[in-house]
Amino acid sequence: MAKVSKAAQELLAEAAADYKRAQSPETKAAVRLAQGFARANGNAAAGTPGRRRG
């Protein structure tokens, strides 16, 4: 196995921490919520009617 430099080890550790933080349930929920608001606001701005019931 090739020897990994200290700088590379630090970058890999930082990337692993970033990935873990980005994949947390809280972060995923926040992203879904933000995407929902963006879709709803975008639809309203475009004049798209809401869902009709009945």
Side-chain angles (χ1 to χ4, degrees):
M1 185 170 176
K3 187 173 181 179
V4 180
S5 70
K6 183 172 173 102
Q9 289 175 348
E10 290 173 1
L11 286 172
L12 288 170
E14 185 179 332
D18 287 344
Y19 180 82
K20 186 176 180 181
R21 187 170 37 255
Q23 298 305 316
S24 74
E26 294 83 7
T27 301
K28 287 182 176 182
V31 168
R32 283 193 304 273
L33 184 64
Q35 288 174 338
F37 284 136
R39 285 187 191 110
N41 292 337
N43 289 343
T48 305
R51 293 184 185 179
R52 295 190 179 135
R53 299 179 188 204

